[in-house]
Amino acid sequence: MRIHPTRPAGAIVALLVLASCSHASDSGGSAAGQAAALPETLVFSPLSLAPPALKGLSEGVKGYASGKGWEVIVQDPNFDSSTQTQQLNEVLSSGRAGAGWIIAVAPPSILPIIRTAQSKGIPLLVNGRPDEYGFAGPQPGITFDYVDYAAGGKALGEQLGNCVNEKMGGRADVLAAQSSEGQAGKKEFEEAAAAALKATAPGATIVQSVIAKDRAGAQTDVGNVLQGKPGLSAVLASNDEGALGAIGAFAAAGKTPRCVTDFGGNDEVLKNVTTGKIYASVALQFQADMTQSFDTLVRMRADPKANGQVLIVPQKVLTAKD
């Protein structure tokens, strides 16, 4: 949402950071005592619960964590950064949080939350790379979990190029359904996708783009575009909402897109891959990432002043042939 949500996203699905306090050498009995005092309660704050992929991820997190004896508090900022920081500040200040997993709406807005968590010894897992926030590496009590957007964009563009070459003789007018401004990795993802498409199918040209924040909005916007550009025949979607909204818009116009590729890979998208409505999905492996993310947070509680890790969300290209 990506991960895509946007990306997610996945989203896509898709985490952040701060500080330069003391390192593992500062930990010891006091750190262990602090960890023991923290409740086994995880605060999960995604971009929003509106995208099905993030709603499904929240359910997966609750199921997995409860199986380990943890309670999960799921928040819904609904794509509003101010709401997200307010919700997180309230729960961190209340003493209810033992760990936090944040998929930030606007990463810079989360920096005060990270400082608060570090001061309280509450480990966080956040979206993005350390360098996106001015750091050279992991930070005390903070793990970064990021989507390799350059790799994802490259795979998405290559798959659309393959489809255009295979089904359309190498030429197509392409609609790009893109993630909202401010989402992590947007620029590098879109640049990689466009470059890979052009390299794979030089006769394919992106002639129009829309922002796909949600499925209904994407369907409306793509429908409006089709009225002015009826020759559009291929869709490069940065998230599930864009891919599904575009398919709905084409259907409402009595058309069928020849080639659609998607980044995200929720259940509905994957069903459409199986039936051939979507040529390929660069699918974020949320189950694998959920497991590595939660398990990392649990381990971090043993020494909340030690540097966290840098994790990468697994992704896999799926087509009807797989």
Side-chain angles (χ1 to χ4, degrees):
M1 127 240 247
R2 163 160 110 30
I3 165 245
H4 206 313
T6 62
R7 176 179 136 277
I12 178 298
V13 146
L15 302 109
L16 70 98
V17 164
L18 155 49
S20 47
C21 307
S22 49
H23 188 271
S25 59
D26 296 320
S27 61
S30 60
Q34 188 175 22
L38 291 173
E40 291 189 337
T41 300
L42 171 67
V43 179
F44 180 60
S45 177
L47 302 171
S48 169
L49 295 179
L54 290 176
K55 177 65 174 176
L57 178 59
S58 72
E59 295 298 329
V61 170
K62 286 195 293 186
Y64 186 76
S66 65
K68 303 286 186 178
W70 280 59
E71 177 189 358
V72 178
I73 298 172
V74 176
Q75 299 182 330
D76 183 6
N78 195 27
F79 294 110
D80 186 277
S81 59
S82 296
T83 299
Q84 186 171 49
T85 55
Q86 179 181 357
Q87 290 175 341
L88 286 167
N89 187 60
E90 288 175 355
V91 75
L92 291 179
S93 299
S94 72
R96 297 175 61 198
W101 180 351
I102 304 169
I103 304 175
V105 176
S109 71
I110 299 298
L111 295 178
I113 297 298
I114 294 171
R115 295 188 185 98
T116 297
Q118 287 179 313
S119 70
K120 294 178 177 294
I122 300 172
L124 294 183
L125 184 140
V126 295
N127 65 308
R129 302 186 310 266
D131 63 274
E132 292 181 77
Y133 305 95
F135 302 106
Q139 297 298 306
I142 310 297
T143 282
F144 300 83
D145 187 17
Y146 76 96
V147 175
D148 189 338
Y149 288 109
K154 181 174 184 291
L156 185 73
E158 287 176 343
Q159 289 302 314
L160 187 61
N162 290 339
C163 183
V164 169
N165 289 335
E166 178 184 319
K167 296 184 177 183
M168 305 176 66
R171 303 190 65 82
D173 286 345
V174 178
L175 169 75
Q178 301 174 339
S179 299
S180 301
E181 293 295 335
Q183 291 198 15
K186 176 179 170 65
K187 184 175 184 292
E188 61 183 314
F189 180 88
E190 291 170 3
E191 289 179 350
L197 172 62
K198 184 56 66 175
T200 307
T205 303
I206 297 174
V207 298
Q208 185 72 44
S209 63
V210 299
I211 297 300
K213 183 176 179 180
D214 57 69
R215 181 172 176 172
Q219 180 165 332
T220 298
D221 291 344
V222 174
N224 291 336
V225 170
L226 286 174
Q227 293 180 28
K229 296 183 182 296
L232 284 172
S233 52
V235 178
L236 184 75
S238 297
N239 53 45
D240 296 332
E241 290 70 36
L244 296 170
I247 290 173
F250 272 82
K255 301 174 180 288
T256 300
R258 300 285 300 280
C259 292
V260 179
T261 56
D262 157 87
F263 182 73
N266 70 18
D267 289 344
E268 187 175 359
V269 163
L270 297 184
K271 288 179 182 177
N272 282 319
V273 170
T274 301
T275 62
K277 284 186 177 182
I278 294 177
Y279 179 81
S281 175
V282 183
L284 296 170
Q285 303 299 290
F286 289 122
Q287 182 69 31
D289 185 58
M290 179 191 68
T291 301
Q292 71 172 358
S293 297
F294 179 80
D295 291 349
T296 297
L297 280 169
V298 172
R299 288 193 296 270
M300 290 170 67
R301 281 165 50 87
D303 188 354
K305 293 186 179 297
N307 280 356
Q309 300 183 42
V310 178
L311 306 176
I312 300 176
V313 180
Q315 52 186 273
K316 182 178 182 181
V317 174
L318 297 173
T319 68
K321 303 172 185 177
D322 297 317

